[in-house]
Short mmCIF file of all heavy atoms in Angstrom, two decimals:
data_model
loop_
_atom_site.label_atom_id
_atom_site.label_comp_id
_atom_site.label_asym_id
_atom_site.label_seq_id
_atom_site.Cartn_x
_atom_site.Cartn_y
_atom_site.Cartn_z
N PHE A 11 104.14 -15.61 96.27
CA PHE A 11 103.83 -15.44 97.68
C PHE A 11 103.42 -13.98 97.93
O PHE A 11 103.69 -13.10 97.11
CB PHE A 11 105.05 -15.78 98.55
CG PHE A 11 106.32 -15.12 98.10
CD1 PHE A 11 106.61 -13.81 98.46
CD2 PHE A 11 107.21 -15.78 97.28
CE1 PHE A 11 107.77 -13.18 98.05
CE2 PHE A 11 108.39 -15.17 96.85
CZ PHE A 11 108.66 -13.87 97.24
N ASN A 93 117.86 7.18 109.49
CA ASN A 93 119.11 6.63 108.97
C ASN A 93 120.08 6.43 110.13
O ASN A 93 120.81 7.34 110.51
CB ASN A 93 119.70 7.56 107.92
CG ASN A 93 120.94 6.95 107.25
OD1 ASN A 93 121.28 5.79 107.49
ND2 ASN A 93 121.60 7.73 106.42
N LEU A 132 113.94 -18.57 94.68
CA LEU A 132 114.91 -19.65 94.57
C LEU A 132 114.82 -20.57 95.77
O LEU A 132 114.87 -21.80 95.64
CB LEU A 132 116.32 -19.06 94.45
CG LEU A 132 117.46 -20.04 94.21
CD1 LEU A 132 117.27 -20.79 92.90
CD2 LEU A 132 118.79 -19.32 94.20
N GLY A 250 129.96 -59.55 98.38
CA GLY A 250 129.76 -58.11 98.53
C GLY A 250 130.17 -57.37 97.27
O GLY A 250 129.95 -57.84 96.16
N LEU A 271 140.09 -61.24 85.18
CA LEU A 271 139.21 -61.45 86.33
C LEU A 271 137.75 -61.32 85.92
O LEU A 271 136.90 -62.12 86.32
CB LEU A 271 139.56 -60.45 87.44
CG LEU A 271 138.68 -60.49 88.70
CD1 LEU A 271 138.91 -61.79 89.46
CD2 LEU A 271 138.97 -59.28 89.59
N ASN A 427 117.67 -9.31 68.84
CA ASN A 427 118.56 -10.47 68.70
C ASN A 427 119.50 -10.58 69.89
O ASN A 427 119.73 -11.69 70.42
CB ASN A 427 119.38 -10.35 67.41
CG ASN A 427 118.54 -10.46 66.15
OD1 ASN A 427 118.85 -9.86 65.14
ND2 ASN A 427 117.45 -11.23 66.22
#
Side-chain angles (χ1 to χ4, degrees):
F11 49 82
N93 186 6
L132 185 61
L271 177 68
N427 293 149

